[in-house]
């Protein structure tokens, strides 16, 4: 029953996006604009305020969660790539499959699903998952795809490093990192100030799912 309660709002919200897209109520580029809104403003605000509202002891007590999430996402990616190589698949194919399988849609669906299942601590899981994805999985995939293309070693490492630098400049990456550091340093956000971050931040999950519904109707299949 809990799983149904977690998934049903996702189905409804994506369905509304598909419905609106089928009726051509939004321009084809609207989904891109909404995703930009989520990734650059709504989600970073939600993560920053949510992490600073947690007790420092809560973050420290859930260090095992961070480890298991890393093993699931990063270890899972390595396992898929190695298994693909064992079946003599091309490195490009294995890398892309590993990225699809081991990279959950945490920025889009994590806020909605995990909040129902784990409660307030879900913001920690979303932040960690986003960091693992942007700082490790994506740069590693770029590095492997560049390697598969036969580029020189310096080009491969340059491409991976450029991707790390590009990701670190994104608000969805540096906002939770800043919040982690401030929280561990002893700074907590008073509840009276939390609304400054949740006013727009609480819309992140719903807007992202609605944009996904629009995207499904805007792209030819």
């Amino acid at each position: 029953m809990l799983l149904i309660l977690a998934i049903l709002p996702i189905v409804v919200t994506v369905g509304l996006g598909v419905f609106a897209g089928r009726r051509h109520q939004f321009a084809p580029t609207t989904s891109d604009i909404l995703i930009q809104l989520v990734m650059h403003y709504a989600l970073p605000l939600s993560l920053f305020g949510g992490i600073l509202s947690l007790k420092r002891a809560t973050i420290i007590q859930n260090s095992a969660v961070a480890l298991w999430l890393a093993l699931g996402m990063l270890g899972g990616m390595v396992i898929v790539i190695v298994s693909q190589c064992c079946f003599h698949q091309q490195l490009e194919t294995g890398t892309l499959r590993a990225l699809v399988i081991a990279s959950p849609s945490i920025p889009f669906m994590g806020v909605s699903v995990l909040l129902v299942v784990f409660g307030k601590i879900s913001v920690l899981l979303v932040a960690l998952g986003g960091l693992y994805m942007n700082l490790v999985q994506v740069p590693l995939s770029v590095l492997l795809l560049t390697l598969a293309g036969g580029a020189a070693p310096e080009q491969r490492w340059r491409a991976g490093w450029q991707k790390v630098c590009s990701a670190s400049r994104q608000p969805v990456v540096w906002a939770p990192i800043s919040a982690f550091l401030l929280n561990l340093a002893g700074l907590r956000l008073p509840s009276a100030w939390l609304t400054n971050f949740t006013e727009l931040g609480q819309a992140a999950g719903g807007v992202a799912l609605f944009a996904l519904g629009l995207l499904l109707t805007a792209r030819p299949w």
Side-chain angles (χ1 to χ4, degrees):
M1 186 62 183
L2 183 62
L3 186 59
I4 295 176
L5 292 176
I7 295 178
L8 186 58
I10 295 176
V11 176
V12 171
T13 308
V14 173
L16 288 173
V18 172
F19 177 76
R22 294 290 186 187
R23 298 188 64 184
H24 303 287
Q25 292 180 308
F26 296 90
T29 57
T30 302
S31 60
D32 297 329
I33 296 173
L34 292 178
I35 291 174
Q36 290 290 319
L37 169 64
V38 171
M39 299 302 291
H40 285 84
Y41 293 96
L43 185 57
L45 281 172
S46 175
L47 296 177
F48 188 84
I51 291 173
L52 280 182
S53 67
L54 296 173
K55 295 180 179 180
R56 180 171 54 179
T58 301
I59 295 180
I60 296 175
Q61 289 169 1
N62 285 274
S63 57
V65 176
L67 177 61
W68 284 111
L69 187 60
L71 288 175
M73 294 181 64
L74 309 181
M77 186 173 183
V78 172
I79 291 173
V80 174
I81 292 175
V82 171
S83 64
Q84 292 292 302
C85 293
C86 291
F87 285 104
H88 305 291
Q89 293 287 338
Q90 293 184 344
L91 184 57
E92 299 100 318
T93 304
T95 301
L96 293 175
R97 284 179 178 172
L99 190 61
V100 170
I101 293 172
S103 298
S105 300
I106 287 183
F108 296 98
M109 300 186 184
V111 177
S112 302
V113 175
L114 297 178
L115 181 62
V116 177
V117 179
F118 295 101
K120 191 177 180 180
I121 197 65
S122 63
V123 67
L124 183 62
L125 303 178
V126 175
L128 289 172
L131 292 177
Y132 293 152
M133 183 186 304
N134 287 287
L135 294 180
V136 181
Q137 288 184 323
V138 173
L140 177 61
S141 299
V142 171
L143 184 64
L144 292 175
L145 291 173
T146 308
L147 174 64
E154 60 272 11
Q155 291 179 318
R156 297 197 296 266
W157 290 110
R158 187 183 303 116
W161 176 248
Q162 288 176 347
K163 199 62 182 179
V164 172
C165 294
S166 175
S168 63
R169 291 193 294 268
Q170 300 300 317
V172 75
V173 172
W174 60 256
I177 291 178
S178 301
F180 275 125
L181 295 177
L182 291 172
N183 193 309
L184 294 176
L187 177 65
R188 281 200 65 199
L189 188 69
S191 57
W193 289 83
L194 186 59
T195 54
N196 293 320
F197 300 94
T198 57
E199 189 68 27
L200 180 59
Q202 62 188 355
V207 173
L209 293 172
F210 188 83
L212 178 59
L214 291 176
L215 187 64
L216 292 175
T217 61
R219 298 290 189 270
W221 298 96

